[in-house]
Amino acid sequence: MLSGNHPNRIFDLAYRQLELFPTLPMFAYKSDGLWQKISTSTFLTETRALSKGLIELGVKPGDKVGLVSEGRYEWHVIDFAIQQIGAVTVAVYPNITDADYQFIFNDAEIQLCIVSSKSLYQRICNLVDSIYTLRYTFAIDSFADSRHWKGLTDIGRNIPDKQLDALRDAVLPTDLATLIYTSGTTGKPKGVMLTHHNILSNVFAAREATPLQAYSRALTFLPPCHAYERMVIYTYFYIGITVYVAEGLEHIGQNIKEVKPNIMTAVPRLMEKVFENIMKTGTALQGTKRRLFDWAISVAEQFDPTGKTNSFVYRQKLAIARMMVLNKFHDALGGELVTVVSGSASLQPRIIRILLAARIPIYEGYGLTEASPLIAVNFYSRGVRVGTVGNPVKGVEIKLAADGEILVKGPNIMQGYYKNPEATAEVLKEGWLYTGDIGRWEDGDYLKIIDRKKEIFKISGGKYIVPQPIETKLVESPFIEQAMVVGDNMKFASAFIVPNYSNLKDWALQNEPSLALLPKEEFLSSPSVYKRLNQEVKLANKHFGNWEQIKKIAILPTEFSIEKGELTPTLKMKRREILKRYQKQYEAMYL
């Protein structure tokens, strides 16, 4: 169903790429220390063989097939193999709880799933008595006492090509392509129903926002089960960009040096880590070199990407700062980046200005799984507005409700939540998706996200507190790793503070050496550390009205994590869970 090289179903992207760019490696991944390149024809051969195995095992159009894996080449083979027989990919995070696996598998009525590793295989097998429809589990990795996914290829050898082609040709653009279960900060996961048309409309919109052409290089390291990374990778296929699959976050620095990517996606937490490493390098310098580094950073902090406030004198300073310091930041990310797209949450404006001044082309965007997911982005061709998520993408309409809630309409909007008409009716009204996010327009049609509607709370005096801007300002401090603003119906706003232990240790070594010798928990509970962190909070408070200012803090010794159920797989805080876990500390702030 390719129409003039225009794909109508997601799996058409691979056939189109073979037709337009036959010599282009579709993928590359690391094996035995070397990058192995995979041609589009090889990819299609593998997907077709796997599709035949699924057919032989009885997978029919509309059936849901589970895929539980971190980012790897095989993920995409499996995804396309499922889709091109009319089945539905249920892409699941590999780091959720057993209870969530049980709920998702039963809700989607999954009969067959493919997982990546031995540990995941064992987890799913241990749940088999409580997953009522599951009949087959396969593993991508090879290990004893398991079904290997390549066995599906053997199983399907006798399925004729014409049977597969007939199923492929029967798939309609309006058919369901995937179920993506939202991680959710509250309640049970909800299955977002997205069609081929939903996602491809987003791919075409993303292409217009991407400056790259065919034969460029992309590096992917975010999980493709996330709607954001998945749609972006589909866009790479559409453009004709080779997708290099990173070995994992622990190897990302080395992979960047080897691949020298032209484009990659990131989440704020990763960019903050990159920035922290840059700043650590600078703070280790001494004398003239340290003064030069600090000066260059101060110049970068004033950078205006629109150019409106960059005077002639400033531009001269910036040229020197780049030559002496800032260009090294760009080189550390491979030196050939044209685009870094950041999404999932807001990135500190200060970090964006410094990275842009260092010629690291970072563009913030905004999306929701329910919108396939892209809604708005800072277009390279229109210029970046720091602190905003840019302009609506092509085909997407945005309006703000009376209370500031962002409403979205377009071909990318989901069909609804699977088997959940009540939840669907709450967010889909007269064709508009009610996002639950609060926004405002800046500088014309640049959208700024203020906060989640459900996360805004009122203190007892009647004033509203919007947590996200306060939290973003707090974590600008080199001594604060994470922050969560609390105080619903209380007299004032307070905050849970997770310190940056490493930076605080360095500070203590310089100022109170004996303090630095204490065990971590004793160190973090010391009056000196409390006082130092409170100074950082007071600096942040200057940016907010009196009623918004943080009056008390509780220092927490360990980072919020996915494993402890405090963060979603996309690193959003589960505020209710965190508050429940630290109820004693919360109550102590209001004694």
Side-chain angles (χ1 to χ4, degrees), residues 346-421:
S346 61
L347 185 58
Q348 299 169 32
R350 174 174 174 260
I351 291 178
I352 294 176
R353 289 186 191 280
I354 293 171
L355 294 178
L356 287 171
R359 298 188 301 161
I360 295 170
I362 187 159
Y363 300 98
E364 275 201 288
Y366 166 63
L368 296 174
T369 302
E370 291 86 343
S372 296
L374 186 60
I375 294 170
V377 71
N378 276 282
F379 285 70
Y380 72 99
S381 56
R382 295 195 60 182
V384 175
R385 297 296 186 276
V386 175
T388 78
V389 293
N391 318 110
V393 298
K394 186 177 181 180
V396 173
E397 187 180 348
I398 299 175
K399 70 177 181 180
L400 301 182
D403 62 357
E405 184 174 2
I406 299 165
L407 312 184
V408 182
K409 182 186 282 188
N412 56 326
I413 302 304
M414 69 169 180
Q415 305 306 294
Y417 294 119
Y418 188 60
K419 295 182 181 175
N420 200 336

Side-chain angles (χ1 to χ4, degrees), residues 76-96:
H76 303 280
V77 174
I78 297 162
D79 178 38
F80 274 42
I82 295 166
Q83 289 185 32
Q84 71 179 354
I85 62 171
V88 179
T89 303
V90 183
V92 187
Y93 284 97
N95 54 0
I96 60 175

